[in-house]
Amino acid sequence: MARRHREIGKAGWGYTAMTTVVGFIYFFPVFWIILTAFKTRTDALAVPPKLFFTPTFDNFVSVFFRKSITTGTSQATDMALYFFNSIFIAGVSVTAALIVGTLAAYAFSRYPLRGNDTYLFIILTTRMLPPIVVIIPIFLMFRLSGLAGSYWGIILLYTAFNIPFSVWLVKSFFDELNPEIEDAARMDGATERRVFFRFCIPQILAGLSATFVFGLILTWNEFLFALLLTGVETRTVPVAMARTMGGEVGVDYGLLAAIVTLFLIPIFFVTFLLQNQLLRGVTFGTVKK
Amino acid sequence: MADAASTQGGFGAWLLDPKRRGALLVTPALTILFVMNIFPLMWSFGLSFFNYKATSTRVPKFKGLDNYADVLTDEKVWERFQTTAIIVGSSVLLQLIVGFLLALLFAKEFPMRRIVLMLVLTPMMLSFVSVGVFFKLFYEPTFGIVSYVMNFFTTDNFVMLATPAGAIAGIVIADAWMWSPFVMLLVLAGLVSVPKYLYEAAEIDRASKWRSFWTITFPYIKSLLLLAVLFRTIETFKLFDIVYIITEGGPGSSTETIAVYLYRTGFQFFKTSQSSALAYIVLFIVIVLTNLYLYAVNRREAEVS
């Protein structure tokens, strides 16, 4: 990649300065959110909007602890639970989808079934579908089976939500491996299981971790399923955020900004590390380079 | 275990036969997808022929194709499709323009490129909810930064979301801001694949910048642009969260996309059967679009190799 860029042309620090300015303009809404996270309630809603102010960390504290106005004691908010829910639900379902998806991807890549492409097409279509299309019957199904509001229900649903993405993305990594190495291993008497675990998996570890991370981001940002199918105990952060919008006391933007900022830190690092895989990740492996 | 079992015979051996290896490996994934996606879809297909309401305990009556007829002749539905088309069309177009310009900017190697690129890539990784919440704040007439800036140019207080056109623009800007980096990534992939000697040849021929763009660069990014348009169309078609948070479909119903409308009919009015019928029409559209997308993917793969 790096070498190929150089073919197009190499620019100096002046160019860096120019792109930084443009990049910063593009980044400005995010920058504003981060600034808001450090503002007091009055500063956040100041007229005209304030660029310079005395920063405060209160918002980050009040994400997790709220001071009672009457007694002055601080109490833990439910937000810690919602953060836990978001991470737990996403973590379990993405892991499950990755395991199941990798097995399927390996089969689609190495042991094509009759109608292989049809299966792959159906799998992709379930992912391309607006969630609202499937959610009506899923809602009825969850209501009948008592899965609504439970961890199991939403985890199962998110696992299904992540399988198409995992299958397609992991398959694109398997497709790139050189099958001759595997055949050579088979000739040497390696079992199929050994070929899979000792030769294929280690070679696509980077791809698998990229898939895992993309899955995490997609899942913990998901809103519609979570809105309709989680209960008080299993609510995720996006739903909790959307709910604060409807409050009668007015929206506490500082608090919301602090939540977004906390969620932003891991995403920022991950995006940085996965930059080269990003295109493949966001197109479900259909575009490699 | 596989080898041990196959010597014992019986069901285990039948199951683990190498001929069935592929089928065995895809079974867990397909089972989960069947239970959580295909089966619900079949269920709602069934419901779409009845007059079922999720809130009522009455035994639903069979109505045949009436729901489909109702949905397809309902003027409201056509309006929602129109709204969706306007939002999808303008958002994808804006993403193409901005994404393309960003790609031109970043198609060079320069110091700290990876870090500067982060500034542009971050919006794509945010959640729709946080983008929705904060764009709503930006558009807020009294405290919002958009109104603040626009008030320098207008005499009245600028209220972004008051008019249908403004509300649509508000949604389109938020969505396009999030997803232009996606188009940028695709265009960058195309720009990087153009062999340098072609430009050198063009320079020797003294071809104008404009001409060398159309004859050299464009053919290399053409197929990727098509992919970007299709992929973003499919994805923008789903647009729900941003609309739900920024405008809730308003003012009136001017920004009610088909996804929001489906949500309303299904979960606010509980017209379960009618919304199932409409959902099936949407499913059909998405299948067509996904087919087109895969066709474009295969065509590009043939081009690249």
Side-chain angles (χ1 to χ4, degrees):
Chain A
M1 274 297 266
R3 203 183 57 81
R4 279 172 124 189
H5 280 302
R6 227 163 276 139
E7 279 177 19
I8 301 176
K10 195 168 164 60
W13 283 97
Y15 200 80
T16 305
M18 189 189 84
T19 48
T20 307
V21 171
V22 178
F24 187 75
I25 294 170
Y26 204 83
F27 187 74
F28 189 78
V30 182
F31 175 70
W32 195 259
I33 296 173
I34 299 170
L35 274 190
T36 310
F38 292 96
K39 284 178 178 175
T40 60
R41 214 177 163 122
T42 5
D43 281 340
L45 294 179
V47 186
K50 272 188 181 171
L51 191 55
F52 300 101
F53 56 92
T54 338
T56 164
F57 284 94
D58 287 356
N59 290 318
F60 291 95
V61 178
S62 51
V63 170
F64 300 106
F65 299 101
R66 185 170 297 134
K67 242 197 188 120
S68 161
I69 306 162
T70 44
T71 56
T73 51
S74 68
Q75 221 178 358
T77 62
D78 292 335
M79 203 42 93
L81 173 71
Y82 303 150
F83 266 91
F84 167 79
N85 285 344
S86 270
I87 292 162
F88 174 71
I89 292 170
V92 175
S93 53
V94 171
T95 311
L98 189 61
I99 294 170
V100 170
T102 304
L103 293 178
Y106 189 65
F108 284 127
S109 179
R110 293 296 188 276
Y111 310 104
L113 301 157
R114 223 182 312 147
N116 212 38
D117 288 350
T118 315
Y119 283 116
L120 281 167
F121 175 71
I122 293 173
I123 289 175
L124 187 65
T125 310
T126 61
R127 185 60 182 71
M128 295 299 207
L129 217 56
I132 188 75
V133 169
V134 277
I135 205 165
I136 295 159
I138 286 177
F139 181 77
L140 299 175
M141 206 165 96
F142 272 34
R143 210 173 57 167
L144 283 179
S145 61
L147 279 172
S150 71
Y151 280 116
W152 279 113
I154 194 78
I155 285 174
L156 197 60
L157 184 65
Y158 277 166
T159 307
F161 171 80
N162 274 307
I163 284 175
F165 166 77
S166 305
V167 169
W168 272 78
L169 193 52
V170 176
K171 182 180 175 288
S172 83
F173 290 112
F174 277 132
D175 285 347
E176 274 182 352
L177 296 184
N178 183 357
E180 280 172 25
I181 301 174
E182 291 158 40
D183 287 338
R186 278 190 197 104
M187 297 276 231
D188 290 343
T191 59
E192 288 301 314
R193 207 147 37 102
R194 200 179 148 77
V195 169
F196 178 70
F197 283 112
R198 294 278 153 178
F199 290 89
C200 297
I201 293 294
Q203 285 187 79
I204 63 158
L205 267 185
L208 287 178
S209 37
T211 312
F212 181 76
V213 172
F214 284 128
L216 273 187
I217 293 173
L218 281 175
T219 310
W220 77 28
N221 283 340
E222 203 286 325
F223 174 65
L224 184 61
F225 288 136
L227 174 71
L228 290 166
L229 300 174
T230 57
V232 189
E233 295 289 305
T234 54
R235 190 170 293 154
T236 57
V237 175
V239 181
M241 280 175 62
R243 281 180 69 94
T244 56
M245 293 295 290
E248 278 146 26
V249 272
V251 186
D252 191 344
Y253 282 105
L255 185 74
L256 283 174
I259 298 169
V260 177
T261 309
L262 286 177
F263 250 56
L264 196 65
I265 298 164
I267 289 175
F268 200 80
F269 278 104
V270 159
T271 315
F272 183 72
L273 291 174
L274 293 178
Q275 230 178 62
N276 295 336
Q277 309 272 18
L278 209 56
L279 175 62
R280 186 190 285 218
V282 291
T283 57
F284 311 153
T286 49
V287 181
K288 283 162 201 162
K289 258 172 199 142
Chain B
M1 211 173 92
D3 300 323
S6 57
T7 54
Q8 287 163 13
F11 180 69
W14 177 83
L15 193 67
L16 293 169
D17 189 298
K19 273 187 293 185
R20 283 178 204 93
R21 192 171 280 130
L24 187 68
L25 288 173
V26 300
T27 302
L30 289 182
T31 309
I32 298 176
L33 276 183
F34 183 83
V35 174
M36 301 308 287
N37 269 313
I38 314 286
F39 173 69
L41 279 173
M42 280 157 46
W43 188 348
S44 73
F45 189 62
L47 285 180
S48 70
F49 298 108
F50 288 84
N51 65 345
Y52 178 68
K53 277 178 89 107
T55 42
S56 130
T57 47
R58 257 191 301 164
V59 180
K61 256 207 287 222
F62 186 73
K63 293 188 63 181
L65 289 170
D66 283 7
N67 286 320
Y68 289 90
D70 285 351
V71 165
L72 286 172
T73 51
D74 190 349
E75 223 163 87
K76 266 200 212 152
V77 174
W78 289 108
E79 260 169 46
R80 304 305 184 268
F81 269 114
Q82 242 171 40
T83 311
T84 312
I86 292 170
I87 291 179
V88 170
S90 31
S91 181
V92 172
L93 183 70
L94 193 59
Q95 289 168 41
L96 275 184
I97 297 169
V98 176
F100 187 81
L101 292 175
L102 286 173
L104 287 180
L105 191 68
F106 283 100
K108 273 185 186 152
E109 179 71 1
F110 56 85
M112 313 257 283
R113 182 175 178 277
R114 270 178 74 96
I115 294 169
V116 180
L117 207 49
M118 281 304 299
L119 295 173
V120 179
L121 291 174
T122 308
M124 192 169 57
M125 312 300 263
L126 291 174
S127 72
F128 281 111
V129 173
S130 34
V131 170
V133 166
F134 280 94
F135 271 75
K136 193 173 181 180
L137 170 66
F138 299 152
Y139 298 144
E140 230 284 332
T142 16
F143 321 112
I145 196 158
V146 173
S147 293
Y148 174 72
V149 173
M150 290 305 284
N151 280 344
F152 287 113
F153 307 103
T154 54
T155 43
D156 300 333
N157 188 27
F158 180 83
V159 188
M160 182 81 173
L161 303 174
T163 60
I168 286 179
I171 289 167
V172 166
I173 290 170
D175 185 58
W177 174 71
M178 255 185 109
W179 294 106
S180 295
F182 177 95
V183 178
M184 177 194 75
L185 284 174
L186 278 167
V187 176
L188 263 181
L191 289 177
V192 162
S193 67
V194 184
K196 198 193 168 198
Y197 64 86
L198 289 178
Y199 288 120
E200 282 163 359
E203 217 164 281
I204 293 165
D205 291 344
R206 300 213 180 140
S208 68
K209 281 248 152 140
W210 185 245
R211 206 183 131 72
S212 68
F213 171 78
W214 282 111
T215 51
I216 301 172
T217 316
F218 189 69
Y220 276 88
I221 55 171
K222 194 174 55 182
S223 55
L224 284 166
L225 282 177
L226 181 64
L227 283 183
V229 170
L230 287 169
F231 198 93
R232 288 311 314 155
T233 303
I234 296 172
E235 290 282 304
T236 315
F237 201 67
K238 298 178 189 173
L239 198 66
F240 174 81
D241 316 14
I242 286 187
V243 182
Y244 180 82
I245 288 168
I246 297 184
T247 67
E248 289 169 66
S253 61
S254 54
T255 54
E256 202 167 286
T257 57
I258 208 77
V260 177
Y261 182 70
L262 264 172
Y263 175 79
R264 289 251 160 94
T265 39
F267 292 97
Q268 282 177 357
F269 307 122
F270 286 101
K271 294 180 185 166
T272 316
S273 277
Q274 275 183 15
S275 57
S276 298
L278 180 55
Y280 256 82
I281 296 166
V282 173
L283 172 70
F284 175 75
I285 298 172
V286 171
I287 287 178
V288 171
L289 286 173
T290 310
N291 248 318
L292 282 174
Y293 177 74
L294 284 181
Y295 170 75
V297 166
N298 289 333
R299 217 181 59 169
R300 165 162 153 90
E301 259 166 25
E303 250 172 52
V304 170
S305 56

